[in-house]
Amino acid sequence: MANLTGKKILLGVTGSIAAYKSALLIRLLVKLGADVQVVMTSAAKDFITPLTLATLSKRPVLSEFINQSSGGQGDGQWNNHVELALWADLLVIAPVSAHTLAKLAHGFCDDLLSAVYLSAKCPVFLAPAMDLDMYRHPTTLENLRRLQSFGNRLIQAEHGELASGLVGEGRLAEPEHIVTELERHFAHRPIFRHKQVLITAGPTQEAIDPVRFISNHSSGKMGYAIARAFARAGADVTLISGPTVQPLPDPTIRRLSVRSAQEMFEAARDEFPKAHIIILAAAVADYTPLRPAEQKIKKKETVFDLELTRTVDIAATLGQQKRPDQITVGFALETNDELANARNKLRAKNFDFIVLNSLRDQGAGFGHDTNKITVIDKEERMYTFDLKSKDKVAEDLLNLVQEQVSML
């Protein structure tokens, strides 16, 4: 995610067998555009070399208050812990051992990392790693509680096999999970706090018989990207998803899985009254078989007639129930007369915004990781965006909705 681009991150590494994961964490952060400065404790060097971390971070690793040069004593360079703390947008200590937790909780300051911690004015994230019994010990639990009471953020240890051979809590959070927490921090927008956001995504499947169904090419990627953007901005997101292989985009999201247009309508109808923001990104079938067969239809005739009936128009039905304090966003995927069709849909379904994309635009539409959209608001102002990743498109929509929320 681009919200780590240019962010200055101090990474503290302490004496834990899980220190090897710090190399993977650095690699992910640098790949996402962050500027990483590593500060190691002396004990951490027993588990991973400073050279490894310096190579990955592209910065010399700091460990001592004074770096002695090859010229001998007295001509070293002072590593100013105050300047380091002021430089950082965020300090994350991963892994943080039980020993370092105890030091930080009680203000002991006997090395560069603890001095940086005590000088930090930026947010501090702590990702503990230790054996199961150590993690559950009342002393450790009290130290964690104490550190959180100071305003530090805890990235919970995970359940899994530990170095001792035990299985349980104490395992350092996976680097990808740590990155997600940092992304969520930088993406957070106070205006979305306690906002209930309802999003539909993916296709629907309309049963012909127990084996076959009618569907479309929607992958759900766009709706899932939007759900991730709003969740990381701090909203409470409910995602109503048709059948898709997309993974849950954020662990805080509540996903309701449905299959048919009717099921999606019933779920949306039930959730709609609680929502402040409603984004209907699903590709819902307009027609469904009138009488689905109870048994598999056998191949007999050359021509097979299938009688269809209209499904409930979810957007139009919810549009009629829309309150002044709700914001609704719809999607229009078109192949011709794009603007005219989108404007008609905007008015007919009482949307605040309609998101238009055309199958005639290369790289847009179903299945792609990119999209090219034009957004029209209820005053029929147009906002045109270039082709970009669906995560970036989701950020553009987030920004437009935020402007609307600020006016309510």
Side-chain angles (χ1 to χ4, degrees):
M1 294 285 288
N3 52 32
L4 290 185
T5 301
K7 299 300 183 185
K8 299 172 182 176
I9 297 177
L10 274 175
L11 174 61
V13 182
T14 72
S16 165
I17 188 64
Y20 76 92
K21 289 186 178 180
S22 61
L24 305 175
L25 178 58
I26 293 168
R27 187 174 182 86
L28 287 173
L29 292 172
V30 170
K31 187 176 181 179
L32 291 169
D35 194 359
V36 181
Q37 174 62 64
V38 179
V39 180
M40 298 180 74
T41 65
S42 295
K45 297 176 186 177
D46 294 332
F47 296 94
I48 191 167
T49 67
L51 178 61
T52 298
L53 303 188
T55 302
L56 292 170
S57 66
K58 302 178 175 60
R59 281 176 166 267
V61 169
L62 307 180
S63 181
E64 309 295 337
F65 285 103
I66 297 176
N67 283 337
Q68 296 295 342
S69 67
S70 59
Q73 296 292 323
D75 57 356
Q77 181 179 359
W78 177 40
N79 294 319
N80 189 324
H81 57 280
V82 176
E83 288 184 0
L84 280 169
L86 290 173
W87 170 84
D89 294 313
L90 183 146
L91 167 62
V92 55
I93 307 179
V96 55
S97 64
H99 176 72
T100 299
L101 276 177
K103 286 203 309 180
L104 302 184
H106 296 279
F108 289 96
C109 184
D110 61 353
D111 61 12
L112 182 61
L113 180 57
S114 56
V116 168
Y117 166 76
L118 287 178
S119 303
K121 292 182 171 60
C122 61
V124 177
F125 284 75
L126 303 170
M130 63 198 75
D131 206 58
L132 171 64
D133 294 328
M134 297 172 67
Y135 191 63
R136 288 180 173 176
H137 195 279
T139 306
T140 301
L141 296 176
E142 175 59 22
N143 286 336
L144 288 170
R145 185 205 62 77
R146 184 178 175 87
L147 285 164
Q148 287 179 279
S149 75
F150 299 155
N152 299 305
R153 324 286 180 85
L154 177 64
I155 301 176
Q156 294 281 357
E158 297 181 356
H159 186 280
E161 185 177 353
L162 305 171
S164 65
L166 296 175
V167 175
E169 282 186 313
R171 184 185 180 98
L172 178 68
E174 292 302 317
E176 294 84 358
H177 299 167
I178 295 173
V179 168
T180 295
E181 290 297 321
L182 304 188
E183 287 181 327
R184 184 181 291 110
H185 164 74
F186 286 117
H188 183 76
R189 305 187 187 190
I191 197 170
F192 288 112
R193 187 181 181 192
H194 301 313
K195 287 289 186 291
Q196 301 292 325
V197 179
L198 176 63
I199 299 169
T200 66
T204 63
Q205 295 177 354
E206 310 304 315
I208 297 172
D209 61 22
V211 176
R212 306 176 182 91
F213 56 80
I214 299 171
S215 190
N216 56 61
H217 297 295
S218 174
S219 65
K221 289 180 180 179
M222 190 68 255
Y224 274 57
I226 296 168
R228 178 168 46 247
F230 275 88
R232 293 187 178 178
D236 297 323
V237 177
T238 296
L239 175 63
I240 302 175
S241 176
T244 176
V245 298
Q246 302 302 316
L248 187 67
D250 188 278
T252 66
I253 291 172
R254 172 175 168 249
R255 178 167 56 185
L256 304 177
S257 296
V258 299
R259 185 166 298 277
S260 67
Q262 182 64 26
E263 290 176 1
M264 184 167 283
F265 164 68
E266 291 171 1
R269 176 198 60 198
D270 292 345
E271 297 295 326
F272 182 78
K274 299 176 284 186
H276 302 104
I277 299 162
I278 302 93
I279 301 174
L280 303 178
V284 183
D286 293 323
Y287 293 89
T288 189
L290 181 60
R291 287 178 289 272
E294 295 183 0
Q295 302 295 330
K296 179 182 176 182
I297 299 171
K298 297 300 182 180
K299 182 170 58 178
K300 294 179 180 178
E301 306 296 335
T302 303
V303 177
F304 174 68
D305 293 326
L306 182 64
E307 189 174 6
L308 303 177
T309 186
R310 283 287 300 271
T311 59
V312 177
D313 190 325
I314 298 174
T317 303
L318 298 183
Q320 293 172 359
Q321 303 169 15
K322 180 175 176 288
R323 303 187 308 266
D325 65 334
Q326 291 178 308
I327 297 170
T328 55
V329 181
F331 274 70
L333 176 61
E334 303 292 342
T335 59
N336 61 286
D337 299 325
E338 288 92 339
L339 287 173
N341 288 333
R343 287 192 178 102
N344 288 337
K345 191 172 184 179
L346 173 72
R347 291 187 291 265
K349 304 193 179 183
N350 197 22
F351 288 134
D352 292 284
F353 297 97
I354 188 81
V355 181
L356 168 65
N357 56 325
S358 172
L359 283 179
R360 295 195 291 181
D361 289 330
Q362 189 173 3
F366 293 136
H368 295 286
D369 292 325
T370 55
N371 206 355
K372 184 176 186 295
I373 66 168
T374 298
V375 180
I376 308 171
D377 68 16
K378 58 186 175 183
E379 277 78 40
E380 299 204 9
R381 291 173 296 205
M382 291 177 53
Y383 308 84
T384 302
F385 300 92
D386 295 330
L387 182 72
K388 58 183 69 177
S389 73
K390 287 183 174 175
D391 282 326
K392 288 286 193 180
V393 171
E395 290 180 19
D396 291 333
L397 291 178
L398 181 72
N399 292 333
L400 287 174
V401 171
Q402 178 174 320
E403 290 180 18
Q404 186 73 13
V405 170
S406 66
M407 293 187 289
L408 290 179

